[in-house]
Amino acid sequence: MQLIQAKDYDDMSRKAANIISAQVIMKPNCVLGLATGSTPLGTYSNLINWYKKGDLDFSQVSSVNLDEYRGLPADNDQSYRYFMKTNLFDQVNIDQSRTYVPNGMEPDSDKACRDHDNIINELGGIDLQLLGLGLNGHIGFNEPADEFPKGTHCVDLTQSTIEANSRFFASIDEVPTQAYTMGIQSIMLAKKILIIASGANKAEIIAKAFLGPVTPEVPASILQMHPDVTLVADEAALSAYLKQKSEMEAN
Ligand code: F6R
């Protein structure tokens, strides 16, 4: 794992956006794996600014999103399709017919998941997958479990994830309880992985994920096995990781 230390959220966002923009410049028709949540907002806003300045061109890029709530239509302002349109797609020159988010309105969950996996395969796989990190170690919506799920699947969200996401909804009762998410295998097959984290509330889980045992109880810990992972995180998020690492090295 390559670690890039950032000062704060803005610095993390700039550094992460630089890595994504390098990918787009080096391979204009690349496949980007994208994430939602609060962490990537600053990254996306840098990409939008650089596109507006003429430094970036998304016209040949395809994108695949990690996940979508089951049962939310694309025009619901809490759906991940809506999030991506508002926070990135509508503000750059990406061809939206080549942006793929799992179809939350597909009632047949097997079909929704198969369709998403087929799209990833037909695109030839993901060149760069951007990930955020859940407080319980989830990546996408791969929650702590007894085994690592493989392809795209339907998940029951854990109480901790429902509570964390309730800040975006009028009340906790409105948070969907299920989601379609890319599986661990689909994520691990990405050629490069960029994981971003900011803030003290992520400190404990970063240490666990990157220094603890590889276990489906901490889904992000599998990233220790990926050959090309970059973690961009700020000082607050790295505090426990750096402390534990120096203790391990001293022993
Ligand atoms: C979002 C996703 C989630 C988030 C994670 C962190 O598409 O897949 O795994 O990345 O919940 O969320 P934030 O960034 O809001 O802390």
Short mmCIF file of all heavy atoms in Angstrom, two decimals, residues 159-192:
data_model
loop_
_atom_site.label_atom_id
_atom_site.label_comp_id
_atom_site.label_asym_id
_atom_site.label_seq_id
_atom_site.Cartn_x
_atom_site.Cartn_y
_atom_site.Cartn_z
N GLN A 159 -27.11 -1.61 11.14
CA GLN A 159 -27.64 -0.47 11.90
C GLN A 159 -26.64 0.68 11.91
O GLN A 159 -27.01 1.84 11.77
CB GLN A 159 -27.98 -0.94 13.33
CG GLN A 159 -28.88 0.02 14.10
CD GLN A 159 -30.18 0.38 13.37
OE1 GLN A 159 -30.70 -0.40 12.56
NE2 GLN A 159 -30.70 1.58 13.62
N SER A 160 -25.33 0.37 12.01
CA SER A 160 -24.34 1.45 12.09
C SER A 160 -24.29 2.24 10.78
O SER A 160 -24.16 3.47 10.78
CB SER A 160 -22.96 0.91 12.51
OG SER A 160 -22.07 0.85 11.43
N THR A 161 -24.46 1.54 9.65
CA THR A 161 -24.46 2.24 8.36
C THR A 161 -25.75 3.05 8.20
O THR A 161 -25.72 4.21 7.74
CB THR A 161 -24.31 1.21 7.22
OG1 THR A 161 -23.08 0.54 7.41
CG2 THR A 161 -24.33 1.86 5.86
N ILE A 162 -26.87 2.47 8.62
CA ILE A 162 -28.15 3.20 8.52
C ILE A 162 -28.06 4.48 9.37
O ILE A 162 -28.45 5.57 8.93
CB ILE A 162 -29.32 2.30 8.96
CG1 ILE A 162 -29.51 1.17 7.93
CG2 ILE A 162 -30.61 3.10 9.13
CD1 ILE A 162 -30.50 0.10 8.31
N GLU A 163 -27.50 4.34 10.57
CA GLU A 163 -27.37 5.53 11.44
C GLU A 163 -26.43 6.56 10.82
O GLU A 163 -26.72 7.75 10.79
CB GLU A 163 -26.87 5.12 12.83
CG GLU A 163 -28.00 4.60 13.69
CD GLU A 163 -27.52 3.82 14.91
OE1 GLU A 163 -26.36 4.03 15.32
OE2 GLU A 163 -28.31 3.00 15.42
N ALA A 164 -25.28 6.10 10.29
CA ALA A 164 -24.32 7.03 9.69
C ALA A 164 -24.96 7.77 8.51
O ALA A 164 -24.73 8.96 8.30
CB ALA A 164 -23.06 6.30 9.25
N ASN A 165 -25.79 7.06 7.73
CA ASN A 165 -26.37 7.67 6.52
C ASN A 165 -27.62 8.47 6.80
O ASN A 165 -28.08 9.24 5.95
CB ASN A 165 -26.69 6.58 5.49
CG ASN A 165 -25.41 6.00 4.91
OD1 ASN A 165 -24.32 6.42 5.29
ND2 ASN A 165 -25.54 5.05 4.01
N SER A 166 -28.17 8.34 8.02
CA SER A 166 -29.43 9.02 8.33
C SER A 166 -29.25 10.54 8.31
O SER A 166 -30.23 11.27 8.19
CB SER A 166 -29.99 8.56 9.68
OG SER A 166 -29.11 8.95 10.71
N ARG A 167 -27.98 11.02 8.40
CA ARG A 167 -27.78 12.47 8.38
C ARG A 167 -28.23 13.09 7.06
O ARG A 167 -28.47 14.28 6.98
CB ARG A 167 -26.31 12.82 8.67
CG ARG A 167 -25.30 12.39 7.61
CD ARG A 167 -23.88 12.50 8.19
NE ARG A 167 -22.81 12.37 7.20
CZ ARG A 167 -22.32 11.22 6.78
NH1 ARG A 167 -22.83 10.07 7.22
NH2 ARG A 167 -21.32 11.20 5.92
N PHE A 168 -28.35 12.28 6.02
CA PHE A 168 -28.77 12.80 4.72
C PHE A 168 -30.29 12.75 4.52
O PHE A 168 -30.80 13.23 3.53
CB PHE A 168 -28.10 12.01 3.59
CG PHE A 168 -26.60 12.05 3.65
CD1 PHE A 168 -25.86 10.91 3.90
CD2 PHE A 168 -25.92 13.26 3.48
CE1 PHE A 168 -24.47 10.95 3.96
CE2 PHE A 168 -24.53 13.30 3.53
CZ PHE A 168 -23.81 12.14 3.77
N PHE A 169 -31.00 12.09 5.43
CA PHE A 169 -32.45 11.90 5.26
C PHE A 169 -33.21 12.70 6.33
O PHE A 169 -32.64 13.05 7.37
CB PHE A 169 -32.80 10.42 5.39
CG PHE A 169 -32.30 9.57 4.26
CD1 PHE A 169 -30.97 9.13 4.23
CD2 PHE A 169 -33.13 9.22 3.20
CE1 PHE A 169 -30.50 8.37 3.17
CE2 PHE A 169 -32.66 8.45 2.14
CZ PHE A 169 -31.35 8.01 2.13
N ALA A 170 -34.50 12.96 6.05
CA ALA A 170 -35.31 13.72 7.02
C ALA A 170 -35.41 12.97 8.34
O ALA A 170 -35.39 13.56 9.41
CB ALA A 170 -36.70 13.97 6.43
N SER A 171 -35.52 11.65 8.28
CA SER A 171 -35.53 10.86 9.52
C SER A 171 -34.90 9.50 9.23
O SER A 171 -34.83 9.07 8.07
CB SER A 171 -36.95 10.68 10.03
OG SER A 171 -37.55 9.59 9.36
N ILE A 172 -34.50 8.83 10.31
CA ILE A 172 -33.81 7.54 10.14
C ILE A 172 -34.73 6.51 9.48
O ILE A 172 -34.27 5.61 8.78
CB ILE A 172 -33.22 7.05 11.48
CG1 ILE A 172 -32.23 5.91 11.24
CG2 ILE A 172 -34.31 6.63 12.45
CD1 ILE A 172 -31.27 5.66 12.39
N ASP A 173 -36.06 6.68 9.66
CA ASP A 173 -37.01 5.72 9.07
C ASP A 173 -37.01 5.79 7.55
O ASP A 173 -37.49 4.88 6.88
CB ASP A 173 -38.43 6.01 9.57
CG ASP A 173 -38.49 5.92 11.08
OD1 ASP A 173 -37.69 5.16 11.64
OD2 ASP A 173 -39.32 6.64 11.68
N GLU A 174 -36.52 6.90 7.00
CA GLU A 174 -36.52 7.03 5.54
C GLU A 174 -35.28 6.42 4.89
O GLU A 174 -35.20 6.32 3.68
CB GLU A 174 -36.62 8.51 5.15
CG GLU A 174 -37.98 9.08 5.42
CD GLU A 174 -38.08 10.54 5.02
OE1 GLU A 174 -37.32 10.98 4.15
OE2 GLU A 174 -38.93 11.23 5.62
N VAL A 175 -34.28 6.04 5.70
CA VAL A 175 -33.05 5.47 5.12
C VAL A 175 -33.38 4.07 4.59
O VAL A 175 -33.90 3.24 5.34
CB VAL A 175 -31.93 5.35 6.18
CG1 VAL A 175 -30.63 4.90 5.53
CG2 VAL A 175 -31.73 6.68 6.91
N PRO A 176 -33.12 3.82 3.29
CA PRO A 176 -33.37 2.47 2.79
C PRO A 176 -32.58 1.44 3.59
O PRO A 176 -31.52 1.74 4.14
CB PRO A 176 -32.88 2.53 1.33
CG PRO A 176 -32.90 3.98 0.98
CD PRO A 176 -32.60 4.70 2.25
N THR A 177 -33.11 0.24 3.67
CA THR A 177 -32.45 -0.79 4.49
C THR A 177 -31.65 -1.77 3.63
O THR A 177 -30.96 -2.64 4.14
CB THR A 177 -33.49 -1.58 5.31
OG1 THR A 177 -34.47 -2.07 4.39
CG2 THR A 177 -34.15 -0.67 6.34
N GLN A 178 -31.78 -1.63 2.30
CA GLN A 178 -31.03 -2.53 1.41
C GLN A 178 -30.32 -1.73 0.32
O GLN A 178 -30.74 -0.61 -0.01
CB GLN A 178 -31.97 -3.52 0.73
CG GLN A 178 -32.51 -4.58 1.68
CD GLN A 178 -33.27 -5.64 0.90
OE1 GLN A 178 -34.11 -5.32 0.06
NE2 GLN A 178 -32.96 -6.90 1.17
N ALA A 179 -29.28 -2.31 -0.22
CA ALA A 179 -28.56 -1.66 -1.32
C ALA A 179 -27.98 -2.73 -2.24
O ALA A 179 -27.77 -3.87 -1.82
CB ALA A 179 -27.44 -0.79 -0.78
N TYR A 180 -27.76 -2.33 -3.49
CA TYR A 180 -26.98 -3.16 -4.41
C TYR A 180 -25.56 -2.65 -4.35
O TYR A 180 -25.32 -1.43 -4.41
CB TYR A 180 -27.50 -3.02 -5.84
CG TYR A 180 -28.91 -3.53 -6.04
CD1 TYR A 180 -29.85 -2.80 -6.76
CD2 TYR A 180 -29.30 -4.76 -5.51
CE1 TYR A 180 -31.14 -3.27 -6.95
CE2 TYR A 180 -30.59 -5.24 -5.70
CZ TYR A 180 -31.51 -4.48 -6.42
OH TYR A 180 -32.78 -4.95 -6.60
N THR A 181 -24.61 -3.55 -4.20
CA THR A 181 -23.22 -3.10 -4.12
C THR A 181 -22.29 -4.03 -4.90
O THR A 181 -22.51 -5.24 -4.95
CB THR A 181 -22.73 -3.03 -2.65
OG1 THR A 181 -21.38 -2.56 -2.65
CG2 THR A 181 -22.77 -4.38 -1.94
N MET A 182 -21.28 -3.45 -5.49
CA MET A 182 -20.22 -4.26 -6.07
C MET A 182 -19.62 -5.11 -4.96
O MET A 182 -19.54 -4.66 -3.81
CB MET A 182 -19.11 -3.35 -6.63
CG MET A 182 -19.30 -3.04 -8.10
SD MET A 182 -18.29 -1.63 -8.63
CE MET A 182 -16.65 -2.17 -8.27
N GLY A 183 -19.21 -6.32 -5.29
CA GLY A 183 -18.63 -7.20 -4.27
C GLY A 183 -17.13 -6.95 -4.12
O GLY A 183 -16.54 -6.16 -4.84
N ILE A 184 -16.57 -7.65 -3.17
CA ILE A 184 -15.14 -7.50 -2.90
C ILE A 184 -14.30 -7.95 -4.10
O ILE A 184 -13.30 -7.33 -4.45
CB ILE A 184 -14.77 -8.32 -1.64
CG1 ILE A 184 -15.46 -7.71 -0.41
CG2 ILE A 184 -13.27 -8.41 -1.46
CD1 ILE A 184 -14.97 -6.34 -0.02
N GLN A 185 -14.76 -9.02 -4.76
CA GLN A 185 -13.97 -9.49 -5.91
C GLN A 185 -13.97 -8.43 -7.02
O GLN A 185 -12.91 -8.15 -7.60
CB GLN A 185 -14.55 -10.80 -6.43
CG GLN A 185 -13.68 -11.43 -7.49
CD GLN A 185 -14.32 -12.68 -8.05
OE1 GLN A 185 -15.51 -12.68 -8.40
NE2 GLN A 185 -13.55 -13.75 -8.11
N SER A 186 -15.14 -7.84 -7.27
CA SER A 186 -15.20 -6.81 -8.33
C SER A 186 -14.27 -5.65 -7.98
O SER A 186 -13.59 -5.10 -8.85
CB SER A 186 -16.61 -6.26 -8.51
OG SER A 186 -17.59 -7.22 -8.26
N ILE A 187 -14.22 -5.28 -6.72
CA ILE A 187 -13.35 -4.17 -6.30
C ILE A 187 -11.88 -4.59 -6.43
O ILE A 187 -11.05 -3.86 -6.97
CB ILE A 187 -13.67 -3.75 -4.85
CG1 ILE A 187 -15.08 -3.15 -4.77
CG2 ILE A 187 -12.62 -2.77 -4.31
CD1 ILE A 187 -15.60 -2.90 -3.36
N MET A 188 -11.58 -5.81 -5.98
CA MET A 188 -10.18 -6.26 -5.99
C MET A 188 -9.65 -6.46 -7.41
O MET A 188 -8.44 -6.46 -7.63
CB MET A 188 -10.06 -7.57 -5.21
CG MET A 188 -10.21 -7.40 -3.71
SD MET A 188 -8.90 -6.39 -2.98
CE MET A 188 -7.57 -7.59 -2.86
N LEU A 189 -10.58 -6.63 -8.38
CA LEU A 189 -10.12 -6.81 -9.77
C LEU A 189 -9.77 -5.48 -10.44
O LEU A 189 -9.19 -5.46 -11.53
CB LEU A 189 -11.18 -7.54 -10.59
CG LEU A 189 -11.28 -9.05 -10.32
CD1 LEU A 189 -12.47 -9.66 -11.04
CD2 LEU A 189 -9.98 -9.76 -10.73
N ALA A 190 -10.08 -4.36 -9.79
CA ALA A 190 -9.70 -3.05 -10.36
C ALA A 190 -8.17 -3.00 -10.44
O ALA A 190 -7.47 -3.49 -9.55
CB ALA A 190 -10.23 -1.92 -9.48
N LYS A 191 -7.68 -2.37 -11.52
CA LYS A 191 -6.22 -2.36 -11.69
C LYS A 191 -5.54 -1.53 -10.61
O LYS A 191 -4.48 -1.90 -10.10
CB LYS A 191 -5.87 -1.82 -13.09
CG LYS A 191 -6.35 -2.77 -14.17
CD LYS A 191 -5.97 -2.26 -15.57
CE LYS A 191 -6.64 -3.09 -16.64
NZ LYS A 191 -8.00 -2.62 -17.01
N LYS A 192 -6.14 -0.39 -10.28
CA LYS A 192 -5.60 0.46 -9.20
C LYS A 192 -6.75 0.80 -8.26
O LYS A 192 -7.88 1.00 -8.72
CB LYS A 192 -5.10 1.80 -9.76
CG LYS A 192 -3.86 1.77 -10.57
CD LYS A 192 -3.64 3.21 -11.10
CE LYS A 192 -2.67 3.24 -12.25
NZ LYS A 192 -1.32 2.84 -11.95
#
